[in-house]
Amino acid sequence: MIAARSAFLSLDEDNPVNWDHPINVGMRACYKAIGGTGFFGGNTLRDMCRRKYPKLDGSPTSGMLWDGTAAPNQYGSLRFNGLNYINCGGATELDVTTGDFAFCAAVSYVGTGQANFLIDKTTGPGANGYQILLGISSTTGMVSFRMNNSIRVDSAGPWNDGHWHLILCTRLSGTIYMYIDGGSRGSAAFSTSITNTSASLQIGARNGGSIFTGGYINDVCVWPSRGFSAADATQHYVEWLQGDRHRFNWLSRRSYSFAEGGGGGGFAFNPSLIRKRKSQSILLRM
């Protein structure tokens, strides 16, 4: 058994994304919830791709709460109270057309609410664009990925069990696939263009600020022109479970180690290995 330890890691402000990692290829926006103060602080979602592309930081409505104990992969999350959401912009940058694409979101939700919008990039009900929802009609634990308000892939779950789940929706070579927690949950043939819209990407509500979501949402990423294979989806899920230690540049990421069994093993942290650069410290629970 690996003993539980805690230590502070720091995200590299100057270069938060490890662009050499294969999962990050083609990623245009990646929103992580980091609370507290400092560069990555505040109760919102920051775009980690900010140093390679113009940033698309989330703009939250009031009442957004940070919960450091709600940890999909060790560093806490935002709690949506059913009345707030985050507008991320990206009206043009996050559009997709006829090629491959991928979107993901991590969610923890318990309840029987219907039509919880995790991400929405449409101009409203019945409009073109793409959405990921939790809870459809009478199937309150279903995850649904919708495109152009016509094509959809559903997974009944139930996924409203209060545990963290990583939802990945992708198009690869003309077929839509849904992966949840690294496993395939459904597919549909769809090579038609997803009509570009003037809408921004919204997290936690339908575009325009209606039909809100309660619960936790984190790790929303968009790859506008890159599809994921089954192997990619599995690798993405494993990396996420491990705290994305290799996908992102933690200033102290080379200073941890693990040891099993007796002898006081667990987490070893050496502050002397941290580079002296601007950063935001966060708590890593092991």
Side-chain angles (χ1 to χ4, degrees), residues 43 56 72 82 110 138 153 162 176 213 231 261 264 266 271:
N43 296 339
L56 298 171
V110 59
S138 60
V153 177
I176 300 291
T213 295

Side-chain angles (χ1 to χ4, degrees), residues 52 98 149 162 232 252:
K52 186 171 183 178
T98 58
N149 198 44
D232 292 335
S252 55

